[in-house]
Amino acid sequence: MQFTYANPTRIEFGQGKIASIKDAIPADQKVLVIYGGGSIKRNGVYDQVKEALSGHTWVEFSGVEPNPRAETLDKAVALCKEQGIDFILAVGGGSVIDGSKYVAAAAKYDGAGWDIMERKHTVTEALPLGAILTLPATGSESNQGAVITRGETQDKLAFMSPAVQPKFAVMDPDVMKTLPENQVVNGLVDAWVHICEQYLTKPHPAKVQDGYAETLLRTLLSLANDFDKRDSDEWRANLMWTANQALNGLIGTGVPHDWATHMIGHELTALYGVDHGRSLAIIQPWLLRNQMEFKQAKLEQMGRNVFALEEGDDLAERTVQAIEKFYHSLNVKTQLEEYTGTREEAVNAVVEQLERHQMVQLGENQSITLDRSREILEKAVA
């Protein structure tokens, strides 16, 4: 229970809030608007951004992929340097915002941008950036982290720096109206696992963090149970706010963190193109069972306080089963079924990637060795 906590991102939450960026970005700063595949032009967000920036000088960069690739982002870095960009506006989900953080940092660095991901360059300065969130999932709109992929080598790595924390985040639930169902599901699952990575560790005295984590989990569980109501303003707003709170740093202050599910899941995405949220659902239940000796107490607490399960000797295992039921209710699989080669080759490929990325001792206890990762994968790969 010793920590420093600050979250300087200003949140503009609610319908019609995109207009607020007019005053949030200084009028004399040249803006680069970064977005993804063009859905913002179909759902009206682009027009709202264009109107809000009518008094600014701005250029745009599109084509940022899900699981944003350095090869694409480096083109945006070059554009920043060529055009003398002063401010970056990310318009999209976590991938666009993560990618924009990479661009903001790399634009202030003379070397190769990938140096940031390989820890060869420590980010101490970056172009200022803001975010307009279109897909609730990662919480990237108000935190310091980003995950970037290099397609050439199938590397998926993360970096964190206070320098890339967004100055503001616009969160208008109306932008979710045109999202495909699978993206909404992915966001719900991603937020769920973000909370679990900071909650399902070991007992500690931080009652506020635990209590708030449980509230967020119960909220996501209720949203999954009411998934047929996902077109309502209330449903959308609650998912958008919950996903933000899941990873804005608050519930993780002063408590143990895990993140092994993410580290292993990243390799499934890099190797086999599995959606990020779905890669987490594939790994998490089997990892929890593998680490039961450490996680039993918190799993039992989750069973009582989130799922309202009855006491009993098998409470921890029934909690894992309840998590699986939660995923299955959203038609999210808990085993990897599509991969290249044999099952043994798939397991070996992921383990080799973990070793290459030095992910050889994972989890809050550093107890997930490569052998333990292999055990988890042997259960998680169908």
Side-chain angles (χ1 to χ4, degrees), residues 134-193:
T134 62
L135 171 61
T138 69
S140 186
E141 67 276 4
S142 66
N143 66 36
Q144 304 175 5
V147 180
I148 308 297
T149 298
R150 184 162 66 171
E152 178 187 355
T153 53
Q154 293 184 307
D155 291 323
K156 185 171 182 178
L157 302 175
F159 85 98
M160 295 187 71
S161 171
V164 298
Q165 175 109 16
K167 303 299 181 185
F168 63 82
V170 177
M171 304 174 67
D172 180 348
D174 276 356
V175 305
M176 295 172 57
K177 288 181 177 179
T178 57
L179 285 176
E181 181 179 312
N182 72 302
Q183 290 189 4
V184 176
V185 169
N186 287 349
L188 205 160
V189 171
D190 198 9
W192 176 274
V193 181

Side-chain angles (χ1 to χ4, degrees), residues 317-377:
E317 169 58 27
R318 284 187 283 121
T319 301
V320 178
Q321 292 173 8
I323 293 172
E324 290 176 316
K325 183 179 178 182
F326 163 73
Y327 293 142
H328 295 160
S329 74
L330 296 166
N331 293 317
V332 173
K333 296 176 180 177
T334 50
Q335 281 192 308
L336 179 67
E337 296 180 355
E338 296 181 10
Y339 49 86
T340 55
T342 66
R343 178 174 173 276
E344 183 181 5
E345 288 169 341
V347 171
N348 287 339
V350 178
V351 173
E352 287 167 8
Q353 284 283 83
L354 288 168
E355 185 172 19
R356 189 162 70 84
H357 295 145
Q358 300 180 343
M359 302 293 176
V360 295
Q361 285 185 296
L362 301 174
E364 69 273 17
N365 302 295
Q366 299 289 282
S367 57
I368 303 179
T369 60
L370 285 178
D371 286 343
R372 285 294 188 106
S373 290
R374 181 180 294 278
E375 291 171 4
I376 293 164
L377 287 159

